[in-house]
Amino acid sequence: MAEPVESEAKELVVDTPAVPLDEDPLLADVQATELQSVPVTALVDLPFAIVRESGLLPLPREDGSLEVALREGADPRRLIELRRHLGQAFDLRRVTTAEFDRLLQDRYALGGSAAGLAQSIGDEDGLDALASGIPTAEDLLASPDDAPAIRLINGILAEAVRAGVSDIHIEPYESGLIVRMRRDGVLKESLRMPAHVAPVVVSRIKVMARLDIAERRIPQDGRIGVQLGGRALDVRVSTLPSRAGERVVLRVLDKQQAGLTLEQLGLSGAAADILVKALAEPNGIILVTGPTGSGKTTTLYAALAHLNDGSRNILTVEDPVEYAMDGVGQTQVNSKVGMTFANGLRAILRQDPDVVMVGEIRDRETADIAVQASLTGHLVLSTVHTNDAPGAITRLRDMKVEPFLLASSLRAVIAQRLVRRLCDQCRAPEEDSTGAAALLGFPPETILYRPVGCKACNGAGYRGRIGLFEAVAVDAEIRRLILGDGDEGAIAAHAFAHSPSLYAAARALVAQGVTTAAEAIRVSRAAEEPLA
């Protein structure tokens, strides 16, 4: 709730006559003639650099009133200068630095201008002009460079970050260049441009990612480090030759996501207890399983953050390193020079680690080293690609890991999926008529929630995603089943008698109105036991 400016400040600014803006140190670059000629909404759009430096962000409301966000640690005396410029009363809202940065990004991101910018790129824009470029670490919102290709890419990135997009697909076809964005796991077309724009845009991206712009025959990978409204982003770039040109996929990695806790991921109840108990063990293997894009790496980072108290030496070998974590030694796989998961794991075991995180167990060699590391006093965290938690045990046995070693070393297996979360501002209850409720075991008259779409969720009906988890705690009975070559069904029957399966977790979220029945069925139905 906004709070009014303190009374002393109100009296001071109300009684202070307006002064020419060219004499005001904070607002010297705003023309005084604009005060009487522009509406309030335009007037409060101060230059980005001034707002960021001063810690004062004017935010007009729909009813015509005004509030000002004051960043923690900012000089409140600047309010007097801002009041002189605005010429009207305002409410004051004190915000944290993180909230101020988010408001700043929302206010100054390039909005829907990318489509218009695309039209301004002409055939005369050559590769030489693109190659002159801007520093990749420069803040995109504060960039003074108005080159059309740069402004277009800045606009695409700004819109993607503001919408919470995870991947940007830039796809050339004979008919034109299409930009699609993956939001909450679903791809949607966001921009269509003329075909001649494709080489200009792709070349500009390759320059920013330090790739070879002359090489169009082979795939290339790179990274772009950018700042957007004070928010640090890491953009992974992948190019792939295609019939109509080079396809580009940009994966947007928000470094703020590296700070998520297990609770924020949606991990709770019995599954959370199993994982936390396993993390408290001095040694052993903890596996996280699921398909690509299910959030396995984010869960591992949350687990590392749980362990990262300064008393342990934590080392990782990843492909690639997605988020930088203070206090954690991170090594990237480089197969071109022989730095594989297995070789990297061997090397970091000579660095006196307490906790080791291996990005993925892909082969028998890596699995054997991970098992040996766990048996020699290390806690090993890793991922395996399987559909469910019991399947991870079978997968390791298929890699020829000896059952007695597996039974001794494995501590817990977590399987996960991501489902879209219904927008809590526009979701609507309705009696199910599609049969989805029956597939989840609900009575036919059960009231479920459906997506509607509003301004808060950009008409999608969903806002963000939440994790579904199932956990297998390796107790004496599970060890007996592993040693006796028990199948997945027997392992699942015992494990899920004490904790929910993916199917049960999905069903619970539907009953709570967090997601829809269709979403729950999409991610959990295929691997579940038949309904009674």
Side-chain angles (χ1 to χ4, degrees):
M1 178 68 68
E3 60 182 26
V5 183
E6 288 80 352
S7 58
E8 295 84 1
K10 274 191 171 182
E11 292 175 1
L12 181 61
V13 295
V14 168
D15 294 338
T16 302
V19 297
L21 290 176
D22 57 0
E23 298 177 13
D24 193 313
L26 175 63
L27 305 168
D29 61 342
V30 181
Q31 296 300 318
T33 55
E34 294 178 340
L35 279 170
Q36 307 299 327
S37 60
V38 296
V40 170
T41 301
L43 180 63
V44 299
D45 277 336
L46 302 177
F48 172 81
I50 289 179
V51 173
R52 182 175 60 178
E53 186 272 335
S54 67
L56 298 174
L57 176 60
L59 299 168
R61 297 173 175 148
E62 293 183 359
D63 60 3
S65 62
L66 186 67
E67 77 171 358
V68 172
L70 174 65
R71 183 180 60 209
E72 59 182 359
D75 187 353
R77 290 175 295 181
R78 291 287 183 96
L79 290 166
I80 300 175
E81 301 171 359
L82 183 63
R83 174 66 174 83
R84 291 174 181 172
H85 171 57
L86 297 176
Q88 71 174 88
F90 53 80
D91 293 327
L92 181 66
R93 174 153 63 108
R94 292 183 174 87
V95 298
T96 63
T97 300
E99 185 178 359
F100 185 87
D101 289 342
R102 181 184 60 78
L103 291 171
L104 191 66
Q105 174 208 332
D106 291 343
R107 185 70 179 159
Y108 285 88
L110 294 182
S113 60
L117 292 173
Q119 304 303 320
S120 66
I121 299 182
D123 295 327
E124 69 277 3
D125 290 298
L127 295 179
D128 291 341
L130 300 177
S132 59
I134 56 174
T136 58
E138 185 172 350
D139 194 311
L140 296 182
L141 299 180
S143 173
D145 197 330
D146 289 331
I150 296 174
R151 288 188 291 122
L152 170 65
I153 296 167
N154 291 357
I156 291 173
L157 287 173
E159 289 181 26
V161 172
R162 186 173 58 180
V165 167
S166 61
D167 299 270
I168 305 169
H169 292 240
I170 300 174
E171 305 166 346
Y173 299 99
E174 284 83 353
S175 58
L177 181 67
I178 297 175
V179 177
R180 295 194 294 167
M181 299 187 183
R182 187 181 297 278
R183 182 184 182 192
D184 295 337
V186 178
L187 270 176
K188 183 178 180 182
E189 182 178 323
S190 61
L191 187 61
R192 188 178 290 262
M193 295 174 281
H196 71 268
V197 173
V200 181
V201 172
V202 171
S203 295
R204 180 64 235 173
I205 292 173
K206 291 171 73 173
V207 168
M208 295 173 69
R210 304 287 196 265
L211 301 179
D212 185 355
I213 62 173
E215 180 57 77
R216 302 182 181 89
R217 301 166 298 173
I218 59 175
Q220 297 187 65
D221 297 302
R223 311 186 87 145
I224 304 173
V226 297
Q227 295 282 331
L228 188 63
R231 190 172 176 179
L233 301 172
D234 191 12
V235 181
R236 280 177 19 202
V237 181
S238 172
T239 69
L240 181 70
S242 67
R243 183 170 179 271
E246 288 181 280
R247 294 172 57 97
V248 178
V249 174
L250 309 176
R251 169 154 288 187
V252 182
L253 300 173
D254 187 349
K255 296 182 180 180
Q256 293 180 353
Q257 299 296 318
L260 291 178
T261 64
L262 295 173
E263 293 78 12
Q264 289 171 327
L265 295 176
L267 186 62
S268 60
D273 293 340
I274 290 172
L275 178 57
V276 171
K277 183 178 179 181
L279 291 172
E281 295 283 344
N283 55 60
I285 297 177
I286 300 173
L287 295 177
V288 181
T289 76
T292 300
S294 60
K296 299 187 299 297
T297 302
T298 304
T299 299
L300 286 179
Y301 276 109
L304 292 182
H306 179 83
L307 296 169
N308 188 19
D309 58 3
S311 66
R312 299 177 178 89
N313 182 23
I314 303 175
L315 299 176
T316 75
V317 54
E318 308 171 58
D319 183 22
V321 176
E322 295 196 359
Y323 302 111
M325 293 187 69
D326 291 337
V328 176
Q330 297 171 277
T331 303
Q332 181 159 325
V333 166
N334 187 348
S335 57
K336 294 179 181 178
V337 296
M339 182 63 172
T340 62
F341 276 120
N343 291 337
L345 182 53
R346 283 195 191 94
I348 63 178
L349 289 176
R350 295 191 287 269
Q351 292 278 315
D352 184 32
D354 298 296
V355 179
V356 175
M357 194 266 271
V358 184
E360 183 183 349
I361 295 179
R362 297 176 178 173
D363 51 42
R364 180 181 179 180
E365 184 181 15
T366 307
D368 285 340
I369 300 171
V371 169
Q372 293 300 324
S374 70
L375 294 174
T376 53
H378 304 89
L379 185 62
V380 180
L381 284 66
S382 190
T383 68
V384 179
H385 279 96
T386 58
N387 288 328
D388 54 19
I393 297 174
T394 304
R395 176 79 177 113
L396 290 177
R397 288 196 301 212
D398 289 343
M399 293 182 186
K400 306 303 180 184
V401 176
E402 293 290 347
F404 71 93
L405 294 177
L406 188 57
S408 300
S409 60
L410 198 59
R411 296 290 178 265
V413 184
I414 309 294
Q416 70 180 81
R417 299 288 191 279
L418 292 175
V419 293
R420 290 184 291 173
R421 188 197 299 261
L422 279 168
C423 175
D424 55 8
Q425 297 190 25
C426 67
R427 64 177 186 173
E430 67 173 3
E431 188 171 323
D432 179 62
S433 60
T434 63
L439 288 175
L440 289 172
F442 291 111
E445 66 277 6
T446 300
I447 300 298
L448 303 178
Y449 285 86
R450 64 177 176 86
V452 176
C454 65
K455 183 178 180 180
C457 60
N458 292 326
Y462 298 92
R463 291 182 69 184
R465 289 187 288 179
I466 188 171
L468 294 176
F469 298 90
E470 69 179 17
V472 173
V474 181
D475 55 15
E477 178 62 20
I478 297 293
R479 291 191 185 96
R480 186 187 67 79
L481 291 171
I482 294 174
L483 290 170
D485 202 27
D487 61 16
E488 292 182 24
I491 294 173
H494 174 75
F496 301 140
H498 309 287
S499 66
S501 64
L502 280 174
Y503 173 76
R507 191 175 185 275
L509 289 183
V510 173
Q512 296 165 15
V514 176
T515 190
T516 63
E519 277 289 294
I521 293 170
R522 176 177 67 86
V523 301
S524 68
R525 182 66 181 148
E528 285 307 323
E529 67 279 355
L531 295 172

